[in-house]
Amino acid sequence: LCEAGWEVDVVAGYPHHGQRKPYEGYTRRPWEVVEQRDGYRLIRTWHVISESTSIAMRALVFATQSLGGALAPAAVASADVVLVFGPPLFGPALACLGKLRHGARLVNVIHDIHPDIAIELGYVSNRGLILAARGVEQFQYRIADVSVVLTEGFRDRLVERGVSPDRI
């Protein structure tokens, strides 16, 4: 995108995978521009980091990464497009704040269908939680201007869920 002349801001959490704490040299402010590289600005956002690998803790990490990303539009002067790669459910749902703040188009890139994967693997079985997750899932599909999927199977699943084929 930078090579095509676009100004690009990337919003991401702090790198921590493998050591469960921020890599050396990263602070944990609510957001900060920590890197300028290859023509784009990288904005790192605060989130919970934990040594626990439980589903509840992973969900909390995802949720706080998403919340940090949702607050980041305040650090971005303007946007024409918000491109979101998850995390599952939380990220795309909260990316709507960037869409609304900037009047931008929202592109939702879907790597896995959630909450299906958590349900099918047996990580989530509580009926109320499943209904709430399905509601968030439907919201993310409705708010996105377009959803990008990796496979025809994902496309078919979204169409089954009521997403118009011309928005996939």
Side-chain angles (χ1 to χ4, degrees):
L1 292 172
C2 293
E3 289 175 11
W6 289 62
E7 290 182 34
V8 177
D9 289 323
V10 176
V11 177
Y14 287 95
H16 67 278
H17 298 287
Q19 57 186 41
R20 309 250 184 248
K21 62 181 181 178
Y23 290 3
E24 189 174 326
Y26 290 94
T27 61
R28 296 190 61 204
R29 296 184 183 126
W31 66 75
E32 66 179 324
V33 177
V34 294
E35 298 174 45
Q36 262 323 116
R37 53 166 104 152
D38 299 327
Y40 66 90
R41 183 171 70 142
L42 178 57
I43 301 166
R44 295 288 185 182
T45 62
W46 181 90
H47 59 88
V48 168
I49 296 174
S50 173
E51 294 189 23
S52 172
T53 58
S54 74
I55 291 301
M57 186 52 69
R58 289 179 65 196
L60 181 62
V61 170
F62 282 152
T64 57
Q65 282 177 322
S66 299
L67 184 58
L71 296 174
V76 176
S78 68
D80 296 316
V81 178
V82 174
L83 181 65
V84 64
F85 290 88
L89 296 178
F90 304 115
L94 289 171
C96 72
L97 296 176
K99 171 188 172 101
L100 296 173
R101 180 181 191 279
H102 297 295
R105 293 180 48 84
L106 177 60
V107 178
N108 186 17
V109 180
I110 300 171
H111 290 172
D112 287 308
I113 304 290
H114 289 272
D116 294 12
I117 193 165
I119 295 166
E120 290 170 13
L121 291 174
Y123 293 135
V124 178
S125 58
N126 178 285
R127 177 173 275 195
L129 187 57
I130 290 171
L131 286 172
R134 292 247 185 256
V136 171
E137 176 194 27
Q138 287 303 311
F139 174 76
Q140 88 180 51
Y141 298 149
R142 273 195 317 274
I143 196 74
D145 293 285
V146 66
S147 292
V148 177
V149 295
L150 300 179
T151 69
E152 286 297 316
F154 284 8
R155 182 188 178 287
D156 294 345
R157 181 78 58 105
L158 265 61
V159 169
E160 288 171 12
R161 301 259 163 86
V163 179
S164 175
D166 64 334
R167 294 181 61 192
I168 302 172

